[in-house]
Amino acid sequence: MGVEWLLVCHGLVTAVVVVSFLCGRWPIFEGTFIQRIHHFLTFGAYDYFLRFVGAVFGHKCMDAVLSVEYYCCDRPNPLLQIVYIVIISVTYYFVAKSCFAYIPGYYLSGIHRYTSLLAVAVGILLFLLTSFSDPGTVNAENVSNYISAYPYDNIIYSEKECSTCKIPKPARSKHCSICDRCVARFDHHCGWMNNCIGEKNTRYFMAFLLWHFLICLYGTVAIGLVLAGRLRELRVVDILTAVYYGIENSFLDLAPNIVQWLLGSYNTQILLMVFLAIIGMLLAGFFGYHAKLCITNTTTNETFKWQDYIEWQRKLREAKVSAEALKQSIDGIRSEKQPSSSKWRAFFKKSPLEDVVIVKNNVYDKGFFHNILEVISPFSARWSFTQNKLKSR
């Protein structure tokens, strides 16, 4: 069973590394080892690598590495798009090569040969839609319409001009330094899509996440049914029961032997199933996070803005409460007579700082159905937006 435990440990380590790299900045992992691993993978390891290159090969080689970093991380490039195409193509190839020989089988009909290809084709179509669609570029022609569609809340958005585009900056927009353009209802720049996620293509991005989660779920279940069908067709359980009759004659007792037989005979299928399950769980978490943002009509960019605003307001109110408490303490010392108070009452007295509560007032959250409609049918795709654009001309 040493090989089996080695595979389990390898899977766990891989899952931790992948989750840390992709999800380490999520609020749920704040202050945990996941966040620390994420910091090391995204900053610490690269910093040590740069120091090593500079010390061993000199500054010219380090400048070359920085140039590659600038191209890969700070400029639009198709590297991750190519990686996506390679991953989905290679995965489908190995699934087809290792599993199609057993389809149709005991539990699966032959139609799954074609539905799997259709599912992958739809996934690639959604990928292309998200990658090459306009995220909602703000320019001089439509800026007034976007300002009307997204009014300033004077909390995290106020009237200002984009220092790069030299046009008024609508609320909820941001200038993307990678794409070098202002994007309406900016969420984030997605390296996998080589495109910003904004007002116009959030719907495609959400469909992409949901569909690829369903593909992973479909693949995991289908491969599991292929393996279950092979167990049934080859009567492995009956044979093992006969071999171990009188010693281990229940299915649970035979489970380690069945797993060992599967790992020895169908290790490729099991690795594919584990891979799809891990990616599916990551996609489910990512989709759930963005679905929550859509339901509350918030973007990833606004999440960080609200965090900064709430933290600033909390510090400001705590300073005011502390100043007021200090003033009351000084006034109490100066007073001639002080009523004696119980030490226990003073011990259990609630601190004024505990009453400091900051309420997030999101004026763009107009209810579940309105928020979902805004994602499915963005303002710029509506007839009223087009009419306002024609009037402004």
Side-chain angles (χ1 to χ4, degrees):
M1 295 294 290
V3 177
E4 290 80 358
W5 280 110
L6 184 63
L7 288 173
V8 170
C9 293
H10 178 269
L12 290 175
V13 171
T14 303
V16 169
V17 171
V18 172
V19 170
S20 301
F21 180 74
L22 297 177
C23 314
R25 292 185 62 186
W26 291 8
I28 192 174
F29 295 122
E30 186 174 353
T32 64
F33 72 96
I34 296 290
Q35 186 186 45
R36 290 191 287 271
I37 294 175
H38 173 83
H39 181 269
F40 175 77
L41 292 174
T42 57
F43 177 77
Y46 180 68
D47 184 54
Y48 288 127
F49 172 72
L50 277 181
R51 293 182 185 180
F52 172 78
V53 170
V56 176
F57 301 102
H59 290 286
K60 289 186 177 180
C61 189
M62 188 169 70
D63 291 339
V65 173
L66 291 173
S67 299
V68 174
E69 178 207 355
Y70 175 76
Y71 173 76
C72 294
C73 302
D74 298 327
R75 300 308 307 158
N77 66 83
L79 292 179
L80 286 179
Q81 289 177 302
I82 295 172
V83 171
Y84 163 80
I85 295 296
V86 170
I87 289 175
I88 196 168
S89 302
V90 171
T91 303
Y92 180 76
Y93 168 77
F94 279 109
V95 169
K97 184 179 180 180
S98 61
C99 297
F100 278 16
Y102 310 115
I103 299 175
Y106 192 88
Y107 293 109
L108 294 177
S109 64
I111 196 173
H112 291 280
R113 287 171 170 259
Y114 308 104
T115 55
S116 59
L117 179 61
L118 178 63
V120 172
V122 172
I124 293 176
L125 176 63
L126 290 172
F127 170 76
L128 295 175
L129 276 173
T130 311
S131 297
F132 297 103
S133 60
D134 178 17
T137 304
V138 181
N139 50 46
E141 295 181 357
N142 59 21
V143 63
S144 59
N145 301 99
Y146 275 120
I147 291 175
S148 301
Y150 298 109
Y152 300 105
D153 62 354
N154 293 318
I155 301 176
I156 59 175
Y157 293 111
S158 58
E159 189 173 353
K160 62 175 67 173
E161 182 183 82
C162 176
S163 58
T164 306
C165 299
K166 303 301 180 183
I167 59 175
K169 193 173 183 179
R172 314 195 75 183
S173 68
K174 182 182 178 181
H175 186 90
C176 177
S177 59
I178 298 177
C179 296
D180 193 25
R181 60 183 171 182
C182 282
V183 177
R185 200 182 181 276
F186 179 87
D187 190 273
H188 69 286
H189 180 88
C190 182
W192 291 98
M193 305 296 173
N194 193 26
N195 196 8
C196 290
I197 305 302
E199 184 236 7
K200 285 187 176 181
N201 63 352
T202 297
R203 49 186 172 175
Y204 302 138
F205 179 70
M206 293 298 293
F208 170 85
L209 292 178
L210 178 60
W211 188 258
H212 280 71
F213 161 70
L214 294 176
I215 288 177
C216 291
L217 180 63
Y218 174 44
T220 304
V221 174
I223 295 175
L225 290 175
V226 166
L227 296 178
R230 296 304 294 164
L231 287 173
R232 193 67 180 259
E233 290 167 353
L234 299 176
R235 303 184 64 183
V236 174
V237 177
D238 296 336
I239 293 172
L240 290 176
T241 302
V243 171
Y244 293 98
Y245 183 78
I247 302 174
E248 298 171 329
N249 55 1
S250 68
F251 181 79
L252 291 177
D253 293 331
L254 292 173
N257 303 95
I258 294 173
V259 171
Q260 188 174 7
W261 180 82
L262 288 173
L263 288 171
S265 304
Y266 301 97
N267 49 11
T268 301
Q269 291 87 339
I270 290 178
L271 288 175
L272 285 170
M273 188 169 63
V274 171
F275 172 75
L276 290 173
I278 292 174
I279 299 300
M281 287 188 289
L282 291 175
L283 288 171
F286 203 47
F287 174 78
Y289 170 74
H290 279 278
K292 181 182 178 182
L293 293 181
C294 291
I295 290 172
T296 58
N297 209 336
T298 310
T299 64
T300 303
N301 179 54
E302 289 170 353
T303 300
F304 294 111
K305 283 181 172 290
W306 277 113
Q307 288 178 355
D308 294 339
Y309 173 78
I310 291 173
E311 185 63 26
W312 174 69
Q313 285 290 319
R314 182 180 289 109
K315 290 180 179 179
L316 183 64
R317 293 195 183 185
E318 286 179 354
K320 290 181 179 179
V321 171
S322 297
E324 184 65 26
L326 180 61
K327 181 180 178 182
Q328 292 179 0
S329 178
I330 294 174
D331 292 341
I333 294 174
R334 289 178 178 176
S335 63
E336 295 181 356
K337 292 184 179 181
Q338 286 288 332
S340 58
S341 58
S342 171
K343 293 182 178 181
W344 289 105
R345 183 179 298 176
F347 180 79
F348 288 106
K349 186 178 180 181
K350 190 176 182 180
S351 171
L353 296 178
E354 296 180 16
D355 295 327
V356 178
V357 178
I358 311 298
V359 179
K360 176 181 173 181
N361 182 23
N362 182 12
V363 299
Y364 307 111
D365 184 0
K366 298 180 180 179
F368 176 83
F369 293 105
H370 184 279
N371 296 341
I372 295 299
L373 180 63
E374 187 174 320
V375 173
I376 298 174
S377 176
F379 287 124
S380 59
R382 300 179 187 178
W383 181 80
S384 58
F385 189 92
T386 307
Q387 291 298 111
N388 290 334
K389 187 175 180 180
L390 292 174
K391 289 180 182 178
S392 62
R393 291 180 179 178

